[in-house]
Amino acid sequence: MATTLAGSLAGVKQRITSREARVGIVGMGYVGLPLALLFSAERFRVTGFDIAADKVETLNAGGSYIVRILPEAIQEAQKSGFCATSDYSHIAGMDAVIICVPTPLNEYHEPDLSYVTGTIQSIAPWIHEGQLIILESTTYPGTTEEIVVPLLEKGNKHGIKVACSEGSGVHVAFSPEREDPGNDTVARHDIPKVVGGCGPAAVELASALYGSIFRHVVPVSSPAVAEMTKLLENIYRCVNIALVNELKQLCMRMGIDIHEVIDAAKTKPFGFQAFYPGPGLGGHCIPIDPFYLSWKAREFDFRTRFIELAGEVNTNMPYFVLEQTASALNEHSKAIKGSKILVLGLAYKRDIDDLRESPSLTIIELLREKGAHVRYNDPYFAKVGRGRHYDLNMTNTPLDNLGQYDAVLIVTDHTSYDYKAIVEQSQLVIDTRNATKGIVSSKIVRC
């Protein structure tokens, strides 16, 4: 297999151009599965790899486990040859392998690269000459060259090295994912794709591959530049969200509506971009990236104080919500201990089925620790069990008889909620998302 697939750089590019190249994508989650569908839509034969047997079974049956991806999309991809497997020996049949696995934080807020290293160790025995390996998982600068490359070279059984030119070997690159779940305003193929490779041949191949599904590819000088680009994009958002989260707390003390301030400020046609406060940060990148960079910076005897402060502000927001909930209940002559509280929304942002790093999970645990009786409603989650950083074991509560709760706490502002009706039926509504904007009621506490 290795002999028949090995070939010149021009040969691999020709297979990409003709759509004959086989593409393997490791990690069939919120990043990998949409990427697989993009390649399938361009008639590439794609194999999805995942260690979760239930995901593999669902995909091969033409189903989907992500709300925004319909089963029909999977079935259409199957017409182009899409299939899923947990057998890494099939890596040997791929011209290109793209790795889209989680890179979370451990309990000490340090990078957890176990999914990346585990994946590389699993695929290394099956790589072949001329193959293109791309890491998309968000990580700190240096990961591709310092971890991925050595593991590939150490783990393969043919003595294959990583090529730094057009010579023999496997080609390695980093290209940060830019998925934005729930964003319907920008088509995926219109999102520019940044590519940094270990040598010009890797950049050329990766650019050709991504250029087949994205309208614009942005080559950079190294994998480390591409890795830092991803961190900058998300730290930029983290810092600005921390700014408005802190300003929100000040504005509340001053009796000023921070949302009105932001709406007024964004009328300026230059020099300002609107960011909005909330109950905390969620998702697979923004809450995590500052800690990845801060950890790496210590290696260079450098402290990213500004970035760390932003991370601290955002991390503390669920605690601020807890304080405001206790204060609001106190105004109604109730203690948080023993109160019945309904949390609206578990997802980390509206209209998606993604729990990763969601502030709702932290808020529920904090309320429970204070003795509150907590239930939740979220149209995207029939139940929530145990994750890396939470252990809730709860089932979805119907959105009825809201008067039985001492407080209804809006944490995720799904568009399916009728907020006017929710306010009318509730004793007290605590709104962390400005979801009740325009509704006038003494029942509402905005925080």
Side-chain angles (χ1 to χ4, degrees):
M1 179 67 74
T3 302
T4 59
L5 286 174
S8 66
L9 180 65
V12 177
K13 287 185 65 178
Q14 192 279 328
R15 287 199 293 276
I16 292 172
T17 302
S18 64
R19 303 302 193 260
E20 295 174 358
R22 293 284 305 275
V23 179
I25 300 178
V26 183
M28 291 286 94
Y30 294 96
V31 174
L33 185 53
L35 186 63
L37 297 181
L38 281 179
F39 277 110
S40 294
E42 289 295 328
R43 307 186 313 281
F44 284 93
R45 187 176 176 187
V46 181
T47 300
F49 294 83
D50 205 289
I51 59 175
D54 57 336
K55 288 184 178 180
V56 170
E57 183 179 352
T58 298
L59 292 174
N60 287 334
S64 175
Y65 40 80
I66 298 177
V67 167
R68 61 193 173 92
I69 296 178
L70 298 177
E72 289 79 4
I74 306 299
Q75 294 157 21
E76 186 64 28
Q78 289 176 326
K79 296 178 182 178
S80 297
F82 172 72
C83 64
T85 182
S86 56
D87 183 357
Y88 282 100
S89 68
H90 292 287
I91 291 292
M94 303 296 117
D95 292 284
V97 178
I98 303 174
I99 300 166
C100 307
V101 296
T103 47
L105 297 170
N106 65 19
E107 58 184 315
Y108 305 108
H109 272 202
E110 295 174 339
D112 178 1
L113 295 182
S114 60
Y115 292 97
V116 172
T117 57
T119 296
I120 299 300
Q121 290 165 346
S122 295
I123 71 172
W126 308 103
I127 64 175
H128 59 77
E129 294 276 351
Q131 196 172 41
L132 174 63
I133 309 293
I134 304 173
L135 177 64
E136 285 209 6
S137 305
T138 302
T139 186
Y140 58 80
T143 301
T144 302
E145 293 161 291
E146 298 168 8
I147 294 179
V148 174
V149 168
L151 286 176
L152 283 173
E153 293 183 336
K154 179 181 178 182
N156 76 84
K157 53 190 176 184
H158 305 293
I160 299 172
K161 299 295 183 182
V162 171
C164 293
S165 64
E166 194 174 338
S168 62
V170 64
H171 302 285
V172 176
F174 180 83
S175 181
E177 59 85 10
R178 282 175 163 172
E179 270 294 305
D180 187 14
N183 186 343
D184 297 323
T185 61
V186 181
R188 286 190 180 90
H189 61 249
D190 286 330
I191 302 172
K193 201 76 170 84
V194 175
V195 173
C198 297
V203 175
E204 187 176 348
L205 279 180
S207 296
L209 182 67
Y210 284 123
S212 65
I213 61 171
F214 293 102
R215 295 188 188 279
H216 185 46
V217 176
V218 183
V220 294
S221 60
S222 69
V225 170
E227 289 160 341
M228 182 64 91
T229 298
K230 174 63 173 177
L231 294 186
L232 173 59
E233 293 170 5
N234 288 309
I235 290 172
Y236 170 78
R237 293 189 64 190
C238 173
V239 167
N240 281 281
I241 292 171
L243 172 64
V244 293
N245 275 334
E246 190 167 69
L247 282 176
K248 174 176 75 172
Q249 298 175 55
L250 174 60
C251 285
M252 287 178 63
R253 294 193 184 191
M254 298 175 70
I256 298 172
D257 183 350
I258 182 62
H259 292 276
E260 184 180 1
V261 172
I262 295 170
D263 288 343
K266 72 179 183 182
T267 62
K268 184 180 180 182
F270 53 89
F272 182 83
Q273 180 180 355
F275 291 85
Y276 296 93
L281 288 182
H284 62 296
C285 287
I286 300 177
I288 293 173
D289 290 2
F291 296 100
Y292 264 71
L293 187 58
S294 297
W295 180 86
K296 184 64 175 178
R298 295 181 206 137
E299 181 181 322
F300 298 89
D301 194 25
F302 189 89
R303 183 179 176 188
T304 54
R305 292 178 294 172
F306 189 75
I307 297 171
E308 289 174 20
L309 179 59
E312 181 182 326
V313 170
N314 290 324
T315 300
N316 285 335
M317 289 310 296
Y319 296 87
F320 174 74
V321 171
L322 177 68
E323 293 172 1
Q324 294 301 306
T325 301
S327 177
L329 286 168
N330 186 62
E331 289 297 317
H332 284 69
S333 302
K334 297 176 182 177
I336 196 169
K337 183 175 183 179
S339 290
K340 295 178 65 177
I341 299 175
L342 178 66
V343 171
L344 293 190
L346 287 186
Y348 80 84
K349 69 175 183 177
R350 70 163 68 114
D351 299 342
I352 65 171
D353 59 334
D354 194 339
L355 280 178
R356 289 174 294 177
E357 309 298 327
S358 176
S360 296
L361 307 174
T362 302
I363 289 169
I364 289 174
E365 290 191 324
L366 291 174
L367 289 168
R368 281 177 162 183
E369 289 173 5
K370 292 297 182 181
H373 303 295
V374 187
R375 295 182 180 179
Y376 83 88
N377 175 274
D378 191 305
Y380 297 95
F381 299 97
K383 60 182 179 179
V384 59
R386 183 174 184 176
R388 289 175 56 86
H389 303 298
Y390 63 88
D391 187 6
L392 299 185
N393 296 311
M394 303 170 70
T395 56
N396 187 54
T397 298
L399 200 60
D400 55 19
N401 192 19
L402 297 183
Q404 67 177 301
Y405 300 102
D406 297 297
V408 173
L409 176 57
I410 302 172
V411 182
T412 309
D413 52 339
H414 292 309
T415 56
S416 59
Y417 288 140
D418 183 343
Y419 293 104
K420 185 175 180 181
I422 288 170
V423 171
E424 289 175 350
Q425 298 169 26
S426 302
Q427 297 185 47
L428 171 65
V429 175
I430 302 166
D431 183 2
T432 70
R433 294 284 191 177
N434 200 36
T436 58
K437 179 181 178 180
I439 302 175
V440 180
S441 174
S442 60
K443 298 178 181 180
I444 302 173
V445 173
R446 297 183 174 91
C447 66

